[in-house]
Amino acid sequence: MDTRRPLTAAVFAAALISVTTACGGAAAPAPAAADQPAPTTAASSVDTACTNLLGIDATPTPEEGPESPPAPEEVKAWGATITTMLDAALAAAPPELTPSLTALQPFVQTAANDGVLPAFDDPGLNAALAGYETWAHDNCGYQNIDLVGRDFEFTGAPATLEPGPISVLMENRSEDEQFHVALLARAKDPAMTAEQFTAMPMEELFGAVDLVPGAAAAAPGQTGGTLADLEPGTYFLFCPVGDEGEIPHHLQGMITTITVA
């Protein structure tokens, strides 16, 4: 679920403007209903659970800014979309996956019924997300990226991937109490380099890349994950964290290039 956990995908925009809040920025349009995984009641189907978990993580949250929350109807529609996939995943979930998905239900139901986004810094929500993303990393058979975030570099990122689903699990080993995020952006020009990415003015950068919904986000000593379905292209895996007045982490070296082909 692209829940805009602190400093996830849409926060890239805010981070480059020296604002680092959860939720907000230029989220991609929500996938059309026809693109969503079809619900199923097939019991204990790992493939069905994985397909729906991937769909949950690939669904962007409605846009939100510091002083402009999304319209309740947009949140309700988002919550209904997530509910459909969450119910399908639960119907197919093996016993070890069920607790995480059950814990996620109240947060999604509040969005669907009341039009209010969850509090994305809620420990219960983050535990539920980490639970199902760790399970997916271990069981879905996707291309796995076992990432380590330090101050200020990523290790464990591959240089190349094949197109298709991936699972990112990032362990935050910050020694300076730094919150880290692993966010993916696909360059519209496949020849774009990381040096060009970091040197490009913000207003140009927004038009030069497409953000991948969702991100792996973790506090020091914790692990966060995300699932994504990647098309061929040049991707930048980077950490946009940077409080107002601070240099964003990706400008301090926390960026790497991945070619998907």
Side-chain angles (χ1 to χ4, degrees), residues 168-259:
V168 180
L169 209 60
M170 181 192 69
E171 180 185 357
N172 184 346
R173 295 186 186 173
S174 172
E175 296 182 356
D176 193 30
E177 296 302 310
Q178 295 285 337
F179 191 95
H180 287 315
V181 169
L183 175 60
L184 282 164
R186 181 175 181 266
K188 294 181 179 179
D189 178 1
M192 187 178 184
T193 66
E195 290 75 18
Q196 291 171 324
F197 182 101
T198 55
M200 190 172 291
M202 178 187 63
E203 60 273 12
E204 294 181 20
L205 188 57
F206 293 155
V209 300
D210 293 315
L211 298 179
V212 177
Q222 298 183 2
T223 297
T226 191
L227 306 173
D229 194 359
L230 302 185
E231 300 177 356
T234 298
Y235 289 79
F236 301 104
L237 188 150
F238 67 105
C239 179
V241 176
D243 288 328
E244 187 172 0
E246 295 183 357
I247 300 174
H249 295 177
H250 70 287
L251 297 183
Q252 301 182 61
M254 211 164 183
I255 183 172
T256 188
T257 304
I258 300 175
T259 301

Side-chain angles (χ1 to χ4, degrees), residues 36-255:
Q36 301 300 338
T40 179
T41 56
S44 302
S45 169
V46 169
D47 288 345
T48 297
C50 290
T51 297
N52 283 280
L53 294 180
L54 177 60
I56 289 171
D57 269 17
T59 301
T61 16
E63 294 184 22
E64 181 181 21
E67 298 180 0
S68 56
E73 292 307 313
E74 293 181 7
V75 177
K76 289 181 180 180
W78 173 80
T81 297
I82 298 297
T83 296
T84 297
M85 291 182 286
L86 180 58
D87 288 349
L90 263 168
E96 66 273 16
L97 176 59
T98 300
S100 295
L101 300 185
T102 302
L104 187 60
Q105 281 184 308
F107 298 98
V108 177
Q109 289 170 353
T110 297
N113 295 335
D114 302 336
V116 178
L117 286 173
F120 298 127
D121 57 354
D122 188 297
L125 174 60
N126 283 282
L129 295 170
Y132 83 68
E133 286 165 343
T134 299
W135 179 90
H137 197 77
D138 293 339
N139 293 278
C140 288
Y142 298 154
Q143 298 175 94
N144 281 357
I145 300 177
D146 292 292
L147 199 64
V148 174
R150 295 186 173 87
D151 310 324
F152 295 97
E153 65 174 354
F154 286 123
T155 56
T160 60
L161 288 168
E162 296 180 359
I166 67 165
S167 173
V168 180
L169 209 60
M170 181 192 69
E171 180 185 357
N172 184 346
R173 295 186 186 173
S174 172
E175 296 182 356
D176 193 30
E177 296 302 310
Q178 295 285 337
F179 191 95
H180 287 315
V181 169
L183 175 60
L184 282 164
R186 181 175 181 266
K188 294 181 179 179
D189 178 1
M192 187 178 184
T193 66
E195 290 75 18
Q196 291 171 324
F197 182 101
T198 55
M200 190 172 291
M202 178 187 63
E203 60 273 12
E204 294 181 20
L205 188 57
F206 293 155
V209 300
D210 293 315
L211 298 179
V212 177
Q222 298 183 2
T223 297
T226 191
L227 306 173
D229 194 359
L230 302 185
E231 300 177 356
T234 298
Y235 289 79
F236 301 104
L237 188 150
F238 67 105
C239 179
V241 176
D243 288 328
E244 187 172 0
E246 295 183 357
I247 300 174
H249 295 177
H250 70 287
L251 297 183
Q252 301 182 61
M254 211 164 183
I255 183 172

